[in-house]
Amino acid sequence: MSVEPTGVTESARPATGHPPAVAAGLGFTLLSNAGLAMVLTLLPVAVLHGGRIDPTVFSFALSVHVGSALVGAVCTPLVFGRLHPAWTLTIASALKAAGFAAVVVTTADPALFLFAVLAGLGVGVSRPAVRSLLTGAAGGRRRSQVFQVFFIFLNVAYVLAPVAAGPVGRAGVPALVVLVAVELAVGVAVGLLGRGLLFEVPARGTRGFGASLTMLKNRAVAVVLAYTFAIYFAMGFLYAMVLLYEVVNPAQAEHRTLFLSYQPLAIIAIQLALLPFFARLPRGALYMTVAVAGGVGLVLSFTSGLVVILAGLTLFAVAECLAFPKIQVEAADTVPPGQLTQVFALVSVVTAVGEIIGNMTAGLLVGGAASGLPAPAHSGMAVGLLVGLVLLAAGIGVTRCVAPDRPPGIPQH
């Protein structure tokens, strides 16, 4: 076995962690994501400046928002690669707050699209930065539990946002001003609380996205990204199919709203109930469970019985609870600490691409039903079986190529 020099010092990998930075990263995840989700939920329905936003215009702005998030993730290693991830999150919050401020002034087209660009960039910048912060702050073997909690907080934010959007909408523009202030306060707090975490700065010339792409030559990085794509494709596919449930499964269309709310609530309940068990589950068993639960869950989600559909959504929630936090830890195990921002930028890009292609696949299957393709529900079941097989193969690849908690920079043989 040959050892590649990494320039990594023991001080750059604290064994005991940095609790203030962990708290800052988790607090950022909850508050910042909830604030953005509230604004996105509110804009198409609330009358803020004398009228509502045209649905077509808002849909286009939402696409711009997603595209800007991708750009932000791609550019983060290049622009912020040598900056402490805590301060990078401060910048991300400032971008989102500026976007909120734009729609405080007006929701007319220029301000709406400025919001979409700025908030999207903030989201893109924050994705690799918060993962880098939590990875460095968790310390040792606590990373798995920290990312489980991270995933819980992320889903809590998305559950709370639609509930809170109603009172915010009734309060109108003053409530948006409060959200601007909260977003700025969150950004400053995470910068201050995380500043004591030792963070290895990447060497000059190794922080651009081109350097990130060279990581694909690392077999461990490549299989982790393949697994990330597969699980996020499945999530995007299921979400889009449920949104289109009136066409996908007309017999159960009346329960579409129930299904949309049930999924994140099931994720939170499963995580809270089984967090200690998940933390002790062997890797092989974990990836096998994800493959079976993910594939079978998708298949059952398009059946005709309400109870069976809910069982399918529950199984898929189990797969999400296991796969999403674990893949963050696996990604961190493939590179030295100084390359965390680059690898998490790649993970963020693959995450977005997987969701987008999953959404597009669902749309093509639903739209193609009128052109002679199988019924959307049957197509969804077929995709579920395929997803299960792909997740199984990718899980075996990750287990073989990524050694858990190995010293970064030591190649696999």
Side-chain angles (χ1 to χ4, degrees):
M1 177 181 291
S2 61
V3 179
E4 300 174 357
T6 65
V8 180
T9 64
E10 286 304 313
S11 62
R13 292 196 300 268
T16 57
H18 190 274
V22 171
L26 294 176
F28 177 92
T29 298
L30 177 63
L31 297 174
S32 188
N33 281 284
L36 178 60
M38 267 190 276
V39 175
L40 289 174
T41 303
L42 174 68
L43 285 179
V45 298
V47 178
L48 294 172
H49 298 283
R52 289 183 177 173
I53 300 171
D54 180 86
T56 304
V57 174
F58 180 77
S59 178
F60 183 57
L62 194 58
S63 299
V64 171
H65 173 79
V66 174
S68 296
L70 259 179
V71 171
V74 169
C75 292
T76 295
L78 178 63
V79 180
F80 305 113
R82 296 180 64 80
L83 189 64
H84 195 292
W87 292 117
T88 302
L89 290 176
T90 303
I91 294 171
S93 280
L95 287 168
K96 285 193 258 187
F100 296 171
V103 290
V104 166
V105 177
T106 177
T107 51
D109 287 1
L112 180 64
F113 287 105
L114 182 61
F115 157 78
V117 170
L118 292 174
L121 287 173
V123 169
V125 168
S126 70
R127 283 174 176 169
V130 74
R131 286 160 173 81
S132 296
L133 180 68
L134 290 174
T135 297
R141 297 181 179 274
R142 293 186 58 209
R143 288 183 300 167
S144 179
Q145 292 95 319
V146 167
F147 275 108
Q148 293 282 354
V149 177
F150 166 80
F151 191 50
I152 292 173
F153 278 30
L154 197 60
N155 280 280
V156 169
Y158 294 135
V159 170
L160 291 178
V163 177
V168 171
R170 288 190 292 272
V173 173
L176 289 179
V177 174
V178 172
L179 287 177
V180 172
V182 169
E183 187 65 48
L184 288 173
V186 168
V188 172
V190 74
L192 294 174
L193 289 172
R195 73 189 188 283
L197 172 70
L198 292 173
F199 174 68
E200 182 178 345
V201 176
R204 293 187 183 277
T206 64
R207 60 192 176 93
F209 195 70
S212 298
L213 292 178
T214 64
M215 292 181 181
L216 295 177
K217 297 178 182 178
N218 180 333
R219 184 174 59 176
V221 173
V223 297
V224 167
L225 292 177
Y227 194 94
T228 301
F229 175 85
I231 190 64
Y232 277 93
F233 168 90
M235 185 191 73
F237 177 79
L238 178 61
Y239 182 67
M241 290 290 274
V242 173
L243 286 174
L244 299 169
Y245 221 65
E246 288 89 347
V247 180
V248 172
N249 197 353
Q252 296 292 336
E254 62 183 300
H255 301 298
R256 185 184 75 111
T257 304
L258 167 64
F259 299 152
L260 289 170
S261 301
Y262 180 82
Q263 184 72 8
L265 289 172
I267 289 170
I268 294 170
I270 291 168
Q271 283 278 23
L272 291 175
L274 300 180
L275 180 59
F277 171 75
F278 288 162
R280 294 193 298 268
L281 195 64
R283 292 169 89 217
L286 183 148
Y287 287 116
M288 176 67 74
T289 303
V290 171
V292 173
V296 174
L298 277 177
V299 171
L300 296 182
S301 296
F302 306 116
T303 52
S304 57
L306 176 60
V307 174
V308 178
I309 293 171
L310 292 176
L313 293 174
T314 302
L315 281 174
F316 194 82
V318 170
E320 290 180 279
C321 289
L322 289 171
F324 290 162
K326 184 63 175 177
I327 207 65
Q328 316 298 327
V329 177
E330 303 285 22
D333 281 336
T334 62
V335 296
Q339 295 178 353
L340 285 176
T341 299
Q342 288 99 315
V343 78
F344 281 129
L346 278 175
V347 169
S348 298
V349 171
V350 171
T351 293
V353 172
E355 286 188 55
I356 290 169
I357 295 180
N359 291 339
M360 291 174 60
T361 301
L364 289 173
L365 291 180
V366 172
S371 306
L373 289 178
H378 296 159
S379 298
M381 293 179 186
V383 170
L385 291 174
L386 180 61
V387 163
L389 293 174
V390 170
L391 288 174
L392 179 60
I396 293 172
V398 172
T399 304
R400 290 183 176 179
C401 296
V402 184
D405 299 314
R406 67 183 174 88
I410 299 180
Q412 300 299 303
H413 297 281

